Amino acid sequence: MGQQEKVSTSLAGAVSEGISASLAAVDAELDRRYPGDPGTRQPVHTVYVPGNVFDAGTIRSWGDQALAALDEHAPDAASFAAVLGLSDDLAEDVYGRVRAKLEREPIEDLRVDFEDGYAGQDEDQDAARAARLISEAYAKGTAAPYMGIRMKCMEAAVRDRGIRTTDVFLTGLLENGGLPDGLVLTLPKVTYPEQVSAFVRLLESFEKAHGLDAGRLGFEIQIETSQSILASDGTAAVARMIGAAEGRATGLHYGTFDYSACLGVSAAYQASDHPAADHAKAIMQVAAAGTGVRVSDGSTNVLPVGSTEHVHEAWRLHYGLTRRALARAYYQGWDMHPGHIPTRYAAVFAFYREGFETAAKRLSAYANHAGGDVMDEPATAKALSSYLLRGLQCGALDTAEVDALTGMTRAALERFAAPRRGDLTATAQ
């Protein structure tokens, strides 16, 4: 070892202690508001099924309809790849994984809809039936990883109905075995943070009535109005909504068509790639960053039905919009029809398989302090590991191949993906 340099300081330790004391409140606020990603699985999509239509066979029916669409309009890997522009080296793998996914887990997240899509005559009965069927699905192992309801919003005209449906549904779950781990609630058409606060009070009251742990019930906030992005005072209302949720918010979901219509976008141009949509989602993304709240893109209303020519056109559109969203870090979206899910999974699988080898090697080089042609930082290592974990969770990647290229266990990937506050800074020093 060479000669060690003399190290001198000029400030007393009390200076550092004083600075730390002055920032104690800020430190606590950072920990409270920005805990980081929860590290749980994020579904790649959400499927909405009207409460009067949902039944015990819905999930399997969607998978079967999607497989039938492939059989009719793209019966092999080559034809599917030709429609979507998949490269030759991905075609067989992606097509095989899509079919396997549709057999094994056709829907990752299902919301029984009691809002815009609902056309039933007895909402109490439909909500109670949804609770029973969802409980039975979890008990039998046939449920989607995530399931729940979208109730009516907190606006005056439908508020009482939304509160009652939420109560009927949650009470029904408790009566049929308890609240499942994959339970998700979606609060639509939120305009003011006070509406979020009101929903929090509703959930608090339910928890107290049944002796549940405080905070057991979380929910997604659906962003469908211009006021939810920019409040009348010029502030970003969506950021205030996350705070108003008091730690219960799990997601921000963009509502393509309600939001577009709110801004006066004509029907022909209402789409998730419209500049107005990009602006809204960018605000949502920045507001949610670091909070543990995930952002979901919206949907397309162009359905892949009818002639093969039209189905192929709709598939190309959906595939392109999904790939566009993934590149912009919107890892979840809505699917409105069984015909959408083949291209949802094709886009997701291609996204992760195309970048898998490069991401795995970069993460391995970073973890082993090896050189390479890219100089990565701790935050990038977090992004690389998160990318690999998402690929594993949805079925785009296999554990063995990730282990082989990274030399890391699943637990090690999870540590890189969700470090504690301060770990990234400490690692960088």
Side-chain angles (χ1 to χ4, degrees):
M1 294 180 61
Q3 181 179 354
Q4 291 188 332
E5 295 289 340
K6 178 183 176 181
V7 177
S8 302
T9 61
S10 302
L11 302 177
V15 174
S16 178
E17 293 171 2
I19 290 173
S20 292
S22 72
L23 291 174
V26 171
D27 293 340
E29 184 77 350
L30 281 170
D31 287 338
R32 183 179 72 84
R33 289 188 178 274
Y34 302 103
D37 190 87
T40 55
R41 176 181 180 180
Q42 181 180 11
V44 303
H45 70 167
T46 301
V47 163
Y48 283 79
V49 178
N52 55 299
V53 173
F54 175 70
D55 62 30
T58 292
I59 294 175
R60 187 62 264 152
S61 173
W62 273 61
D64 291 344
Q65 290 179 69
L67 285 165
L70 284 178
D71 289 341
E72 181 176 358
H73 303 293
D76 53 43
S79 57
F80 197 49
V83 173
L84 304 181
L86 291 172
S87 61
D88 291 342
D89 59 327
L90 281 178
E92 290 287 348
D93 191 13
V94 168
Y95 189 75
R97 287 177 186 271
V98 168
R99 294 196 69 98
K101 180 76 168 180
L102 296 175
E103 292 281 4
R104 182 185 73 255
E105 188 181 73
I107 295 176
E108 292 198 359
D109 183 28
L110 186 146
R111 209 70 70 250
V112 183
D113 191 14
F114 291 95
E115 205 232 353
D116 284 349
Y118 181 68
Q121 301 301 312
D122 191 334
E123 191 161 333
D124 277 359
Q125 285 296 308
D126 287 337
R129 183 170 59 89
R132 175 178 57 81
L133 292 174
I134 287 174
S135 295
E136 291 174 356
Y138 277 107
K140 295 176 181 176
T142 58
Y146 297 94
M147 298 185 75
I149 65 168
R150 176 170 71 169
M151 66 292 295
K152 290 177 173 62
C153 68
M154 287 285 109
E155 292 180 356
V158 295
R159 183 184 303 138
D160 288 345
R161 181 65 260 180
I163 290 172
R164 182 173 175 85
T165 295
T166 303
D167 186 6
V168 169
F169 175 71
L170 293 176
T171 300
L173 289 178
L174 290 178
E175 291 176 345
N176 285 278
L179 303 179
D181 290 339
L183 173 64
V184 187
L185 304 174
T186 303
L187 179 65
K189 292 184 175 61
V190 181
T191 303
Y192 283 83
E194 288 81 1
Q195 294 168 329
V196 174
S197 297
F199 197 64
V200 170
R201 301 289 86 78
L202 170 62
L203 299 182
E204 283 180 339
S205 297
F206 188 89
E207 289 166 350
K208 290 176 182 177
H210 292 278
L212 301 173
D213 292 340
R216 169 64 180 85
L217 295 166
F219 61 98
E220 301 165 339
I221 301 169
Q222 202 159 356
I223 305 301
E224 301 176 90
T225 67
S226 60
Q227 296 92 339
S228 61
I229 294 298
L230 189 67
S232 59
D233 62 358
T235 60
V238 66
R240 292 167 54 208
M241 289 175 185
I242 293 173
E246 299 178 22
R248 294 176 185 266
T250 59
L252 300 175
H253 283 229
Y254 176 68
T256 304
F257 306 105
D258 281 289
Y259 187 86
S260 299
C262 184
L263 268 62
V265 179
S266 61
Y269 297 96
Q270 292 176 1
S272 62
D273 59 351
H274 190 279
D278 285 341
H279 172 260
K281 287 179 287 188
I283 298 297
M284 292 163 58
Q285 190 174 47
V286 173
T291 66
V293 177
R294 273 85 175 258
V295 174
S296 173
D297 198 2
S299 59
T300 175
N301 59 0
V302 179
L303 303 184
V305 296
S307 68
T308 294
E309 181 181 9
H310 179 75
V311 169
H312 286 181
E313 290 177 358
W315 274 353
R316 278 190 288 269
L317 173 65
H318 185 245
Y319 178 85
L321 290 173
T322 303
R323 287 301 304 260
R324 183 180 189 273
L326 290 167
R328 286 158 174 77
Y330 308 130
Y331 299 112
Q332 185 175 356
W334 300 6
D335 288 328
M336 299 180 69
H337 187 273
H340 283 142
I341 54 178
T343 39
R344 169 70 60 183
Y345 291 131
V348 170
F349 293 168
F351 175 75
Y352 289 113
R353 295 214 63 80
E354 285 174 358
F356 157 57
E357 185 172 335
T358 298
K361 289 180 178 178
R362 282 177 65 179
L363 184 60
S364 178
Y366 175 86
N368 293 296
H369 306 286
D373 58 359
V374 179
M375 183 178 292
D376 287 320
E377 297 185 354
T380 304
K382 175 182 177 179
L384 290 167
S385 54
S386 295
Y387 172 89
L388 296 173
L389 283 170
R390 285 192 296 269
L392 286 167
Q393 289 164 349
C394 69
L397 306 176
D398 301 323
T399 300
E401 61 182 352
V402 173
D403 287 352
L405 275 186
T406 62
M408 299 169 65
T409 64
R410 178 73 170 260
L413 284 176
E414 290 172 348
R415 285 195 296 273
F416 271 104
R420 297 183 304 275
R421 176 168 296 282
D423 285 358
L424 293 180
T425 302
T427 305
Q429 291 176 342

